[in-house]
Amino acid sequence: MTFIPTRAAGLAALADFVDRAGPDYTETRNFDRGPGDRANVSMLSPYLRYRLVTESEVVAAVRARHPGETAAKFIQEVFWRTYWKGWLELRPSVWTDYLADLASLEATSGGWRRDYDRALAGGTGIDCFDAWIAELAEFGYLHNHARMWFASIWIFTLRLPWQLGAALFWQHLYDGDAASNTLSWRWVAGLQTAGKTYLAQADNIARYTGGRFTAAGLATRAAVITAAPTPAAQPLALPEPLPKGRIGLLLAEDDLAPETLLPGSAEVGAIAALGGRHGRSPAVEQFIGDALGDAGRRAHTAHRAEVTMLPDATAASVGDWAAAHGLDHLVIAYAPVGPSAAALASLGDDLRAAGIRLTAVRRAWDEHAWPHAQRGFFAFREKCIRLA
C-alpha cells in the first residue's frame, strides 16, 4: 500500500500485475480484502492518474500477455477513466457548478457540520465506514467497490452533501482526478444517470469484504437528490499545432510522461516543472512534487536540456524563466478539466500578455477517445476500445 512516485515504480507495478489482468482479475476484482491484500487489483491508478505510466502502455502490455478477450474487463476499467475525462471535457460547466456548490456549502456550514465532523473522526458507528475513513487517511487509497459503498453511505445514510464527499476524496486519494472523482460521486447520488442511484447494502458489503463488516444501520431507501439538468455536450476544441523551432517544455501534474509527449524532431531548449497546490493532503502534495521531480529527470535525459523546478509557478516566475533561456514559445501537455486546467488557462493568458505563447499538446489517446463521450459508457466503449 505504499506508492512510490516514479515511472520506474509504475512500470514495476504493471509488470507485477500483468499476469493477473485476465480471468483472475475478472473473477476477483470486486472483493475488498483490506489494505493488507490488494493482489486482486492492479494498484496502477496513481500512476495512470499522473501519466507516470500511460493508458496506451498499460493496455498494450495487458493485450500482449492476454490475447483475445480474456482481459476485456480490465481494459474496460482503464477506459472508464478516459470516459469520465472525455465526458467532463465536453461538459465543463458540470465541474464549475460543483465548485460553486462546494463554495456555497463551505460558506454556510448549515446543518451538516456536526455530522460531517463525526464522519471524519470515524464516529458514525457504522463499522465499515469508520474503517474506510481511517484507511483513506492512512493510505490515500480505497478499493473501488469501497468507494461506491462509502459514497452511498455518506449520501443516503449520513445524509451529507455529495459535494463534500467528493472534496474529501479529492483531498486524500493519490489517484483522485476531477473527472473520475466528481462524476463517480454524481453517479452514486443519481445525478450522472438520471434516476439511477447506488444504494449500499449490508449483505453485499459483507460478501465482498469477506465478512469483515456488518454494516448495521444503512439506509434502505435512496433519497432523491436534485441538480441542474445535465448540459449538452460541447464540441471538443481543436488541437493546437506544435510550434516549430526552439521551445520550452513545461511539465505539470496531469501528464508526467515527457519522453513520449513530443515528436523526436522537437527542439527543446529548456524544461521547467510547475508545482502548485490544489487543496490536497500533504501526503498527496508530496507524492505529486516527487513525481514532478522524477519527470524532470527523465525529461532531461530525453531532451538533454536544463531542468528548473518552479514549485509555486506564476506567470512572473515562468516568464522570468523563459526570458532567461531566450524562449518565446512554450509547450505543455493538455490538462483536462479540473484545477490544473484552470490554473494553466490563467497562466497562458498572463504569458500571452507578456508576449510568450503557451501551446497545449493533446495526446492521440485523448484526441481519439474524448469526442465519443457523448452519451453513456458502453456506447463510448464500443467506439473507442478498438483504438487502443
Side-chain angles (χ1 to χ4, degrees):
M1 286 295 293
T2 299
F3 298 106
I4 301 170
T6 65
R7 173 170 166 80
L11 291 174
L14 174 59
D16 179 67
F17 170 72
V18 71
D19 283 341
R20 306 192 305 275
D24 288 348
Y25 175 83
T26 302
E27 294 168 8
T28 67
R29 57 184 283 271
N30 283 329
F31 287 88
D32 177 8
R33 298 166 176 165
D37 183 0
R38 295 290 186 217
N40 61 321
V41 291
S42 73
M43 303 298 286
L44 288 169
S45 54
Y47 302 105
L48 285 166
R49 159 63 180 91
Y50 305 103
R51 279 185 167 157
L52 287 162
V53 179
T54 66
E55 296 91 337
S56 57
E57 289 176 312
V58 170
V59 170
V62 169
R63 281 182 166 165
R65 191 65 57 89
H66 302 277
E69 297 297 312
T70 56
K73 177 57 69 174
F74 176 75
I75 292 171
Q76 175 176 294
E77 293 305 306
V78 175
F79 270 94
W80 263 108
R81 183 174 291 269
T82 300
Y83 170 71
W84 287 135
K85 287 184 177 180
W87 193 97
L88 193 59
E89 198 68 27
L90 302 182
R91 302 164 183 86
S93 64
V94 171
W95 171 252
T96 53
D97 287 349
Y98 156 71
L99 293 181
D101 290 346
L102 194 59
S104 178
L105 284 164
E106 291 173 342
T108 60
S109 297
W112 57 263
R113 176 61 65 181
R114 183 187 66 181
D115 290 340
Y116 175 84
D117 290 342
R118 182 165 60 95
L120 263 59
T124 69
I126 302 170
D127 57 358
C128 55
F129 185 92
D130 293 344
W132 292 328
I133 275 284
E135 187 176 337
L136 178 64
E138 181 176 358
F139 297 108
Y141 181 89
L142 289 176
H143 186 284
N144 188 60
H145 212 161
R147 297 183 197 201
M148 295 164 57
W149 294 321
F150 183 108
S152 179
I153 294 168
W154 180 279
I155 297 167
F156 301 122
T157 299
L158 303 180
R159 294 187 173 272
L160 287 165
W162 71 266
Q163 297 92 335
L164 296 175
L168 177 70
F169 272 17
W170 168 264
Q171 181 182 8
H172 288 285
L173 287 172
Y174 284 110
D175 61 9
D177 68 57
S180 298
N181 186 48
T182 309
L183 301 183
S184 294
W185 275 85
R186 279 173 49 90
W187 182 81
V188 171
L191 302 175
Q192 193 64 21
T193 303
K196 183 176 181 180
T197 56
Y198 178 79
L199 190 64
Q201 298 178 352
D203 58 348
N204 183 263
I205 293 172
R207 176 188 174 189
Y208 285 103
T209 62
R212 290 187 293 127
F213 302 115
T214 59
L218 302 190
T220 57
R221 293 180 64 253
V224 176
I225 310 296
T226 59
T230 299
Q234 301 178 6
L236 189 65
L238 294 174
E240 298 182 72
L242 187 69
K244 296 180 180 179
R246 188 169 176 269
I247 60 174
L249 175 61
L250 302 182
L251 308 179
E253 65 179 61
D254 286 293
D255 193 312
L256 297 179
E259 307 94 327
T260 58
L261 180 66
L262 302 176
S265 59
E267 182 185 353
V268 177
I271 302 163
L274 309 184
R277 299 182 64 85
H278 296 298
R280 280 80 59 106
S281 71
V284 175
E285 295 290 356
Q286 183 67 53
F287 180 95
I288 296 169
D290 291 347
L292 274 165
D294 177 68
R297 290 186 288 274
R298 288 182 282 108
H300 170 73
T301 299
H303 296 291
R304 297 299 176 188
E306 177 186 332
V307 178
T308 302
M309 304 300 292
L310 298 176
D312 296 307
T314 63
S317 63
V318 174
D320 289 346
W321 166 80
H325 290 86
L327 304 168
D328 58 12
H329 206 141
L330 310 180
V331 170
I332 193 167
Y334 186 94
V337 169
S340 293
L344 290 175
S346 178
L347 175 65
D349 290 342
D350 292 342
L351 289 172
R352 193 174 301 110
I356 302 170
R357 184 179 171 191
L358 177 61
T359 296
V361 177
R362 196 155 57 219
R363 286 185 181 269
W365 178 277
D366 302 329
E367 192 69 33
H368 292 321
W370 286 356
H372 297 296
Q374 302 282 338
R375 299 170 56 199
F377 172 74
F378 294 102
F380 168 87
R381 180 191 64 180
E382 292 308 309
K383 290 184 177 180
C384 293
I385 209 158
R386 297 186 302 274
L387 300 173

